[in-house]
Amino acid sequence: GENVEQHPSTLSVQEGDSAVIKCTYSDSASNYFPWYKQELGKGPQLIIDIRSNVGEKKDQRIAVTLNKTAKHFSLHITETQPEDSAVYFCAASIHTGTASKLTFGTGTRLQVTL
Amino acid sequence: GAVVSQHPSWVICKSGTSVKIECRSLDFQATTMFWYRQFPKQSLMLMATSNEGSKATYEQGVEKDKFLINHASLTLSTLTVTSAHPEDSSFYICSASRDEQFFGPGTRLTVL
């Protein structure tokens, strides 16, 4: 089955700096890669996703890149703010248009300091 | 849109009792819902896939007789933890699928 690795496990940046989180996946058939933000005591929230037919996607301060050949994808957050502090999870799945199982990475705890 | 709710948000029970957790998709119909378990500072682990009108599909290592799942309608799935023990204490999260998965806020279960 799919295996997703995520690095780093913790990341501390100063407000205004950029943060990068990287994930690798093992199943070349995976074609959907969402990123989730989870605040303490809450469920994960989808912040951005990318499909395998696209190499990069951007939404304001958040961007995701995908390298299918190397089987890795990354989350980039620019101009970080204290409210970006949370745990971020990457995930991968084989998306067929109907419900598909997600395999999650191990999570990255991002701390944005003033 | 795409709001998923869970009830209760937290529950404390005695060892040996059963606990039911509800997951509802409030503004869309979901033929498939997923149930996850998350231990402190760990990732989400898929427990089972719940399909409306049919039996749930459990992941390897998850006891189907202990974690009963019912998906009676397109907007409601329930997870019942039977004969709960302290090791079942965890954060249980559901998601409802409409092309992508939308997650509920989670239910924290503490078994004394």
Side-chain angles (χ1 to χ4, degrees):
Chain A
E2 175 69 280
N3 182 50
V4 178
E5 295 189 358
Q6 184 172 346
H7 299 280
S9 56
T10 60
L11 179 59
S12 182
V13 299
Q14 284 198 318
E15 183 180 7
D17 288 349
S18 295
V20 180
I21 302 170
K22 299 182 179 182
C23 289
T24 60
Y25 60 99
S26 61
D27 191 342
S28 57
S30 290
N31 60 2
Y32 177 62
F33 308 92
W35 286 88
Y36 294 90
K37 176 183 180 182
Q38 186 178 29
E39 297 178 339
L40 190 62
K42 298 183 179 180
Q45 277 192 309
L46 178 70
I47 56 172
I48 196 167
D49 57 11
I50 191 167
R51 299 180 191 272
S52 60
N53 59 348
V54 176
E56 184 174 357
K57 184 176 178 181
K58 191 173 181 181
D59 183 4
Q60 299 183 342
R61 297 186 297 108
I62 296 173
V64 58
T65 59
L66 171 66
N67 183 325
K68 288 189 295 182
T69 303
K71 289 190 283 197
H72 66 69
F73 56 112
S74 301
L75 177 71
H76 304 251
I77 306 174
T78 58
E79 300 172 29
T80 53
Q81 301 167 3
E83 50 266 38
D84 294 329
S85 296
V87 179
Y88 291 81
F89 291 97
C90 63
S93 76
I94 302 171
H95 203 66
T96 60
T98 56
S100 51
K101 295 195 295 186
L102 292 169
T103 300
F104 283 85
T106 48
T108 296
R109 184 173 301 276
L110 173 64
Q111 177 91 38
V112 180
T113 58
L114 297 173
Chain B
V3 179
V4 177
S5 70
Q6 279 183 243
H7 179 81
S9 56
W10 59 271
V11 56
I12 302 172
C13 69
K14 292 182 179 179
S15 186
T17 60
S18 295
V19 174
K20 180 185 283 188
I21 302 170
E22 292 185 348
C23 177
R24 293 181 184 273
S25 56
L26 298 184
D27 51 2
F28 68 101
Q29 293 183 328
T31 54
T32 302
M33 292 184 175
F34 298 90
W35 286 96
Y36 296 84
R37 182 165 52 180
Q38 185 179 35
F39 291 108
K41 297 187 178 181
Q42 292 190 22
S43 188
L44 285 77
M45 297 302 294
L46 180 65
M47 298 175 66
T49 302
S50 168
N51 294 295
E52 188 265 337
S54 64
K55 291 184 179 180
T57 303
Y58 291 81
E59 295 299 300
Q60 193 172 9
V62 178
E63 299 175 58
K64 59 180 68 177
D65 294 330
K66 182 169 184 61
F67 298 100
L68 301 179
I69 292 172
N70 183 271
H71 195 155
S73 76
L74 288 172
T75 59
L76 173 65
S77 177
T78 59
L79 168 69
T80 301
V81 183
T82 62
S83 186
H85 291 285
E87 56 265 30
D88 298 323
S89 298
S90 189
F91 194 50
Y92 291 86
I93 308 172
C94 72
S95 72
S97 184
R98 184 190 68 181
D99 188 38
E100 59 193 66
Q101 288 188 36
F102 298 93
F103 287 83
T107 296
R108 181 157 306 280
L109 169 64
T110 301
V111 184
L112 302 177

